[in-house]
Amino acid sequence: MAGDSPYWNPKTETLGRERLEALQLAKLRYQCEWAVARSPWYRARFAAEGFVPSQLRSLADLRRIPMLTRDEWTASQFEHPPYGEIPVIGGDGAIRLHTTSGTTGRGPLRALDSRKDWAWIAEMWAYAIWGCGARPTDTAYIAFGYGSFIGFWGLHYAMEKVGVLNVPGGAQSTEARVLQIVDFGATVVAATPTYALRLAQEGEQLGLDLRGSPVRRLILSGEPAGSIPQTKALIEDLWGAKAFDTAGMTEIGTIMVFECSHQPGGTHIIEDHMIEEVIDPVSLQPVAYGERGERVVTSFGRGTIPLLRYRTSDLVCRVPAATCSCGRGFDLYEGGILGRVDDMKIIRGTNVYARGIEAIVREFPEVEEFQTVITREGLRDEITLRVEMRPDWRSDAWAQLSDLLHRRLALAHEGLNFRVERAGAGELPRFELKAKRTVDLRDAPIGAAT
Ligand SMILES: [Zn+2]
């Protein structure tokens, strides 16, 4: 228990780099020995690559361990259904099954956890909850569907572990959730960034004063937008509260990064429980501090699914711990998760990132929802920003607003000409989890629905 400390785990969160790395090396050896003894996939893979855990003499030897990709995991599930050969146990020894939210053709990952894994999953979230300033006197509302997607399940248990009064807001309408947040006097709300905005919009339509409500902190997860400054500023303004970014993944079972109460514009890596590498996704060589690359994660706490050098496809930029003044020894990802390594779109020779578009759109609080549609007309690619305005917005200002959006988008994209279209009320999709606002129709059959 952390007592009066600003840190959940004062001992490990303030370790110097040398001692932190010694701890990582000891845990890495143990996890590799565990994996090779119990996981059929790692046993075969390590043997094929000639790797044995006794080769790990320093952290630099980490690179002897073969990387694991999502495709390899999926293939193993396909060949050895339903869980594949990476887990060290089958369903008999586990207490939980979760799946990724992905709906791509590859199919979701199925992840198993033991009781001990769940204790660790909650412990990781406790670093974030405590680190952003939540305390046992708080009341937390978790605006989340509580389905097979892992989402805020770990946060739920961590709230209990920290001692926060916890309201599970599953299986309800947005309206019912906002009413409960106010009714129960929640001081902390957990949601995706997109859903935090939607809850605030719903509250305004219901005539509720969320800015004047007891809500002081929002814990965001599930989308990179929690660290886009413009999105975060809008969320903080609508709620009259501070917003804190976190990020996790089903493959780990929990979060690997969190933003501390100093709000340094990035997220600390929980380095006493993970090793995060940042590599060039093509050459697979490590990149330096301050350079963008792909996250590769090794986590130590989940026994059922040992995760060693897993390629995440997340785009990040790592900076030293001293970038934040909170005193933690954990390095940070500047700007949180920046997106996916493969989510850059090229339109007529110009690079376009979903994050860059969102940063501009969120400067306009009168925009309720938006979507980017990319099409091919003849030989020419076109990019269209579709914008849905708030219901109480004055329509006669559209020409001015669309012109301003058009100019801001062009300025940020080497003069690229975006079309800006107004969408009707309720026309664009709404999201509770993992918003997908970019629709690329260039390779879609003619007539495919947006
Ligand atoms: Zn910090």
Side-chain angles (χ1 to χ4, degrees), residues 35 148 383:
S148 69
I383 185 163

Side-chain angles (χ1 to χ4, degrees), residues 177-440:
R177 284 175 173 149
V178 180
L179 290 169
Q180 284 196 329
I181 287 168
V182 174
D183 189 26
F184 297 145
T187 55
V188 178
V189 172
T192 63
T194 297
Y195 200 63
L197 285 171
R198 192 164 147 214
L199 284 164
Q201 288 160 356
E202 186 76 26
E204 286 195 356
Q205 279 167 29
L206 293 168
L208 299 171
D209 176 21
L210 290 177
R211 285 190 189 87
S213 79
V215 176
R216 292 289 168 268
R217 289 179 181 79
L218 294 137
I219 298 178
L220 307 177
S221 206
E223 299 165 341
S227 280
I228 298 177
Q230 294 85 348
T231 304
K232 187 186 215 175
L234 181 59
I235 292 170
E236 291 191 331
D237 177 52
L238 291 172
W239 283 88
K242 291 287 177 193
F244 300 91
D245 191 20
T246 67
M249 56 201 306
T250 304
E251 291 92 327
I252 305 177
T254 186
I255 54 167
M256 65 279 167
V257 295
F258 67 96
E259 184 176 7
C260 69
S261 62
H262 288 233
Q263 292 189 302
T267 50
H268 286 284
I269 302 163
I270 307 176
E271 288 197 78
D272 54 337
H273 289 274
M274 332 257 167
I275 294 175
E276 291 265 333
E277 301 167 75
V278 185
I279 62 164
D280 178 315
V282 178
S283 72
L284 307 185
Q285 295 302 306
V287 304
Y289 275 137
E291 285 181 25
R292 289 182 173 204
E294 178 182 353
R295 283 182 54 227
V296 176
V297 60
T298 296
S299 82
F300 303 129
R302 199 189 216 178
T304 301
I305 302 174
L307 202 64
L308 298 164
R309 302 198 79 206
Y310 179 69
R311 290 189 63 180
T312 66
S313 296
D314 283 339
L315 189 68
V316 290
C317 174
R318 183 168 174 153
V319 293
T323 311
C324 183
S325 55
C326 71
R328 283 181 179 80
F330 297 167
D331 285 352
L332 298 103
Y333 284 139
E334 188 176 77
I337 305 296
L338 300 172
R340 305 286 289 168
V341 168
D342 53 8
D343 74 359
M344 185 188 76
K345 301 289 182 185
I346 301 177
I347 313 295
R348 304 201 290 272
T350 300
N351 297 346
V352 177
Y353 291 93
R355 181 185 181 90
I357 295 174
E358 171 155 3
I360 290 168
V361 174
R362 294 305 186 198
E363 291 172 10
F364 300 85
E366 57 271 44
V367 173
E368 181 153 310
E369 194 46 81
F370 70 96
Q371 184 181 55
T372 307
V373 182
I374 302 166
T375 50
R376 179 163 290 153
E377 297 172 15
L379 293 173
R380 186 179 161 90
D381 291 341
E382 294 289 349
I383 185 163
T384 306
L385 180 73
R386 306 184 70 219
V387 176
E388 191 178 319
M389 306 306 296
R390 296 171 54 139
D392 55 349
W393 187 70
R394 284 178 35 236
S395 281
D396 57 350
W398 171 249
Q400 195 185 354
L401 181 109
S402 60
D403 182 55
L404 193 54
L405 266 170
H406 180 264
R407 280 190 282 130
R408 290 282 293 108
L409 288 164
L411 195 64
H413 295 91
E414 303 171 17
L416 182 68
N417 184 26
F418 282 68
R419 296 173 177 170
V420 179
E421 279 179 14
R422 186 162 178 193
E427 194 181 320
L428 299 181
R430 299 297 198 271
F431 304 94
E432 194 172 314
L433 282 170
K434 296 191 186 292
K436 263 197 169 13
R437 296 194 174 90
T438 304
V439 182
D440 192 341

